[in-house]
Amino acid sequence: MSDDTGTHRTPAGSTGPRPEPIRLFGTTWVEHGHGYAARRVAVAVGSLVAAVASCLVLRLAYQGLRIAAIGDFVTVLMVAMFAICSALAFRHTWDGYTRRHDPDRQASLRGLLTVGFVGSLLAYFFRSLTEAPGEKLHREEYEEARRQYEKRTTRRSGNPRNRRRA
């Protein structure tokens, strides 16, 4: 059950697992309600616009290097750096939608992901065409938590005094 803000509520008195909110979606991804489709469209358009704007900024930086006449080697090096970092950031971001990353590895890749921000934006755009980015991972974890909770609760049901002793 969801309220007007899109946050998932469990029944009164329930201590069951709660879904983890996703950035920009809250917990609307659980039941796809409260503007979920509109949020997905907005996220897709927003990330694509941000990627295009970022490419324009990189184009200005490239033109600045050409005007400064620092040499072809440095210009090629800069273009290659942004292309490689963007490809790696795309792959890393895309993988993050299906499995959790190691926090230490994530911290060590922070610089690479910062340089390759265009790749991350594009991964966010492409994922938002099919689902809320990270929805599949969150749904699997939430359903597993619910299964475990149900398993624990049904096992404990009943009065232990009424059980036969062997």
Side-chain angles (χ1 to χ4, degrees):
M1 170 183 269
S2 298
D3 60 13
D4 292 338
T5 61
T7 57
H8 191 76
R9 292 183 297 170
T10 55
S14 175
T15 57
R18 295 174 191 243
E20 185 179 343
I22 297 176
R23 182 182 299 156
L24 303 175
F25 290 91
T27 56
T28 60
W29 59 268
V30 176
E31 297 169 358
H32 291 190
H34 298 288
Y36 172 82
R39 289 178 193 208
R40 268 199 31 218
V41 168
V43 163
V45 169
S47 59
L48 185 61
V49 166
V52 168
S54 300
C55 288
L56 292 175
V57 169
L58 289 176
R59 172 76 180 168
L60 289 173
Y62 174 79
Q63 287 176 343
L65 288 176
R66 297 300 282 175
I67 292 170
I70 59 172
D72 290 336
F73 178 73
V74 174
T75 304
V76 168
L77 209 58
M78 187 207 69
V79 170
M81 175 194 63
F82 275 106
I84 292 169
C85 288
S86 290
L88 292 172
F90 179 93
R91 181 63 185 190
H92 182 77
T93 303
W94 190 264
D95 287 344
Y97 297 137
T98 56
R99 61 184 165 84
R100 296 275 181 186
H101 289 298
D102 176 33
D104 294 332
R105 184 170 185 267
Q106 185 79 9
S108 69
L109 291 176
R110 186 172 292 132
L112 177 119
L113 295 174
T114 302
V115 173
F117 62 98
V118 174
S120 293
L121 288 170
L122 290 175
Y124 203 81
F125 166 72
F126 286 120
R127 182 56 81 161
S128 64
L129 294 176
T130 57
E131 67 175 8
E135 177 181 345
K136 181 179 178 184
L137 175 65
H138 283 76
R139 188 170 303 282
E140 288 171 356
E141 290 174 349
Y142 177 59
E143 288 175 358
E144 179 61 28
R146 287 185 67 191
R147 274 193 297 277
Q148 293 294 327
Y149 177 75
E150 291 297 322
K151 188 176 176 182
R152 283 193 313 267
T153 342
T154 55
R155 201 176 340 156
R156 294 181 188 165
S157 63
N159 188 345
R161 278 196 236 172
N162 294 339
R163 292 194 182 136
R164 294 183 194 162
R165 294 185 184 204

